[in-house]
């Protein structure tokens, strides 16, 4: 059966269109989104899945990009060897490995759904 063999995490800067910035209260602004891309590799050569998380900066929401990447690194070891299309088991395992923080788990969840769509 299909199994997760590796979870890779990438940081990508996504600038706003025309080098503009998004501004909100307390003089906060952002001109580049700090995006996290997740790639889940499997034991099937050409079957892998991608997910992403792009929060709007740490002063806007509780979700923040460096926290996303740290959380994924915390959760990833517990997912190696699991079947990525057994979504209930994936979500149960993520919840046992890290309480709360759904924004961290969303990129992994997306990547698993991507794999499900390919098999």
């Amino acid at each position: 059966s299909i199994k997760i063999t590796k979870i890779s995490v990438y940081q990508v800067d996504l600038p706003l269109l025309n080098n503009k910035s998004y501004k909100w209260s307390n003089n906060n602004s952002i001109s580049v989104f700090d995006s996290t891309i997740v790639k889940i590799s499997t034991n099937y050569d050409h079957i892998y899945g991608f997910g992403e998380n792009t929060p709007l900066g740490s002063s806007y929401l509780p979700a923040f990009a460096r926290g996303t990447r740290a959380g994924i690194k915390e959760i990833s070891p517990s997912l190696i060897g699991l079947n990525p299309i057994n979504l209930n088991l994936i979500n149960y395992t993520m919840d046992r490995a890290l309480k709360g923080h759904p924004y961290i788990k969303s990129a992994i969840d997306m990547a698993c759904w991507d794999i499900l769509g390919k098999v």
Side-chain angles (χ1 to χ4, degrees), residues 10 12 14 33-39 49-55 68 72 102-112 114:
Y10 305 95
V12 178
L14 300 175
F33 289 108
D34 184 352
S35 183
T36 300
I37 307 296
V38 173
K39 178 182 179 185
F50 287 98
E52 66 89 24
N53 179 284
T54 307
T68 298
I72 291 169
Y103 67 97
I104 290 169
K105 300 167 187 171
S106 67
I108 294 171
D109 185 58
M110 268 184 248
C112 289
D114 189 28

Side-chain angles (χ1 to χ4, degrees), residues 49-104:
F50 287 98
E52 66 89 24
N53 179 284
T54 307
L56 187 61
S58 58
S59 60
Y60 189 79
L61 294 170
F64 67 104
R66 286 181 299 202
T68 298
R69 291 187 288 276
I72 291 169
K73 288 179 183 175
E74 185 74 22
I75 292 170
S76 292
S78 64
L79 300 176
I80 301 299
L82 296 183
N83 183 334
I85 63 174
N86 184 341
L87 301 171
N88 286 334
L89 179 60
I90 294 293
N91 284 302
Y92 174 79
T93 303
M94 287 195 294
D95 287 343
R96 290 200 58 193
L98 184 67
K99 301 290 181 203
H101 305 283
Y103 67 97
I104 290 169

